[in-house]
Amino acid sequence: MTKRILEIMLILMLVAGSASAAIYTDVSGTPTQDVAVQLDAAWRDEAATAYDLAVLPVDQLAMDKVTDAYTFVYEEENRPVRWYPEETQRAIEAMITVDPDSLYLTEFMRLHAAQAQPAAALDAVMRLEIDYYPGQLTVVVLGDTSDPENIVWTPVESRVTEIGKLEFEVPQELMKALQGEDVLFTLLVTRPGDSRVIVVPETTTIPSVLPSKTAEDETHIKKTIRKDGTPWPDDFELLIVPETDAIAQELARIRERLAAQMAILSWLPDDKAEEVRCLLGDAADSLIVSEYVPLQTRDYRETSGDAVGTFAFATPFKAGETVITALGMPLEEAAEGETQMRWLVQRAVVRENGDVDVVFDQLGLTQMDAETALLLVLSEPYAGE
């Protein structure tokens, strides 16, 4: 049951002295269709005839493929470009003048190309909430899913023409293969600054209103050092901060929902609940809220991609245990009785020592500079609960 967790009011149980460090992942942790604000496409004919190319919600195939890419890059420590087939790698190398291993996989979306006889090459314009900037190197790589077991990946020409405005071209021959199919959209980019910076928050105070049984007055977060022991300058900070009124109100609404024996996924929007199910399968609907953390970032640079934050909680998580997080950002307007936050589903992994690696979505990281976010840690029910 989840009732005991609710009765202690979603206690924040961070062990005093635990560190929460973050490091760029070089790859997306989950699909990123949320960053696409608009997608327009037109044939390159005299009339620039409009064509229906659309961003779709996450499905199982998209989640499986982004999981495979994440494992290959972050867990197995390979470079993102090496995740694609060798033929695709060679095509990417032919398009750029920099080392392909300097690229990062920052976007991974599911698109759909409507059934239509290609009249010419296709020009597409995608407006993004992430501020990719003119002159930043980008490579769009499209995946033909007509044979899901053997996806064909093709790089196409792309460029950023305005802040957050990405344009890419799909050759007519490729459009003949893609029409009527789902298409996996991936984006490789260069990252400003050092790609290997590890970031750590400064010492912060846990809100005194939290009735935590194990946390002391302060959670000390250590300074990051390089492998050789020398200090590494902060790139950005991930801060544990006091909870806001918006967070307190959201937690109260969640407690009411769960006290009525409703699953936590029922509180998330349907598309986000489906993302959790695609990621976790049958375990998704039995998840409980085991922890929460109010967080902010400081000086995170847009277009740098996802980052992993490592947390040590009082909850005795075990290696391999099913854990996932939902990051909530306050909405300006929301319907009565519904969540007042915009939620991002984030991958999480429990390590051998019980620490939890949380893969923070770049969209959340950019917004957390100005807003306090609510990080919910969702896990399997405790034994005997």
Side-chain angles (χ1 to χ4, degrees):
M1 293 176 60
T2 62
K3 189 173 181 180
R4 188 171 69 83
I5 298 298
L6 306 175
E7 288 175 342
I8 61 176
M9 299 178 67
L10 301 172
I11 290 173
L12 170 64
M13 297 191 293
L14 282 171
V15 177
S18 65
S20 177
I23 181 171
Y24 292 130
T25 64
D26 298 349
V27 64
S28 296
T30 52
T32 60
Q33 72 281 355
D34 285 350
V35 308
V37 177
Q38 184 179 353
L39 177 58
D40 297 310
W43 298 116
R44 194 179 298 165
D45 55 17
E46 291 184 3
T49 309
Y51 172 74
D52 185 13
L53 184 66
V55 180
L56 295 186
V58 174
D59 67 353
Q60 193 63 59
L61 178 63
M63 187 64 77
D64 288 347
K65 291 304 176 182
V66 79
T67 295
D68 184 63
Y70 172 81
T71 301
F72 179 84
V73 175
Y74 185 73
E75 300 290 350
E76 299 175 5
E77 300 183 346
N78 297 297
R79 298 305 302 154
V81 74
R82 306 305 167 192
W83 178 71
Y84 299 97
E86 288 188 9
E87 183 178 358
T88 305
Q89 293 179 39
R90 291 194 296 271
I92 293 171
E93 291 172 2
M95 293 176 63
I96 61 179
T97 58
V98 302
D99 180 356
D101 286 332
S102 67
L103 299 174
Y104 308 89
L105 201 169
T106 55
E107 307 297 345
F108 199 117
M109 304 178 201
R110 176 191 174 209
L111 309 182
H112 184 76
Q115 183 74 39
Q117 186 62 35
L122 189 74
D123 292 325
V125 179
M126 180 180 286
R127 294 191 178 274
L128 304 159
E129 286 200 44
I130 301 299
D131 288 345
Y132 296 105
Y133 55 88
Q136 185 173 12
L137 177 62
T138 63
V139 180
V140 169
V141 188
L142 301 178
D144 178 356
T145 68
S146 53
D147 180 359
E149 299 299 320
N150 298 283
I151 294 176
V152 177
W153 293 95
T154 305
V156 299
E157 294 290 340
S158 66
R159 68 199 63 81
V160 181
T161 55
E162 300 174 9
I163 292 291
K165 181 181 178 182
L166 176 71
E167 299 186 7
F168 58 97
E169 306 161 10
V170 189
Q172 185 175 10
E173 286 303 308
L174 180 56
M175 282 307 305
K176 289 179 180 179
L178 298 180
Q179 59 170 320
E181 302 288 346
D182 282 359
V183 180
L184 294 182
F185 170 98
T186 61
L187 180 65
L188 297 167
V189 302
T190 52
R191 176 184 290 152
D194 193 328
S195 66
R196 298 297 172 184
V197 172
I198 304 173
V199 294
V200 208
E202 62 193 20
T203 299
T204 56
T205 301
I206 291 180
S208 59
V209 298
L210 296 176
S212 175
K213 295 183 294 185
T214 59
E216 298 179 2
D217 290 338
E218 291 186 345
T219 296
H220 302 288
I221 301 179
K222 300 174 184 177
K223 193 73 174 176
T224 299
I225 58 174
R226 294 183 177 91
K227 290 182 179 180
D228 63 7
T230 58
W232 204 328
D234 288 337
D235 189 69
F236 75 94
E237 295 176 325
L238 178 64
L239 308 172
I240 302 171
V241 296
E243 65 182 65
T244 61
D245 288 343
I247 286 178
Q249 292 169 15
E250 185 76 0
L251 291 173
R253 286 186 287 267
I254 291 173
R255 286 196 294 271
E256 291 176 1
R257 175 66 63 98
L258 299 183
Q261 302 299 313
M262 301 180 72
I264 182 59
L265 288 197
S266 70
W267 184 245
L268 298 179
D270 290 344
D271 60 334
K272 295 304 167 185
E274 184 59 26
E275 286 186 36
V276 177
R277 294 187 181 98
C278 286
L279 191 58
L280 300 184
D282 293 339
D285 289 297
S286 63
L287 295 174
I288 63 170
V289 182
S290 52
E291 304 280 353
Y292 81 87
V293 191
L295 293 171
Q296 283 188 340
T297 57
R298 182 181 298 158
D299 299 327
Y300 174 79
R301 290 179 299 181
E302 289 206 33
T303 81
S304 288
D306 291 3
V308 171
T310 302
F311 292 82
F313 296 104
T315 298
F317 294 115
K318 297 179 181 179
E321 183 176 350
T322 298
V323 174
I324 196 169
T325 67
L327 186 71
M329 305 298 303
L331 291 170
E332 293 184 4
E333 296 182 5
E336 185 68 27
E338 296 181 359
T339 179
Q340 305 296 299
M341 292 192 166
R342 177 183 182 182
W343 292 98
L344 298 169
V345 172
Q346 300 182 147
R347 186 182 302 275
V349 179
V350 183
R351 300 303 179 186
E352 291 298 327
N353 62 358
D355 287 352
V356 180
D357 281 356
V358 179
V359 187
F360 283 87
D361 189 293
Q362 64 171 335
L363 185 56
L365 290 171
T366 62
Q367 295 175 347
M368 287 161 60
D369 239 21
E371 295 276 4
T372 298
L374 170 61
L375 179 73
L376 294 182
V377 182
L378 312 180
S379 65
E380 299 173 288
Y382 300 136
E385 288 289 320

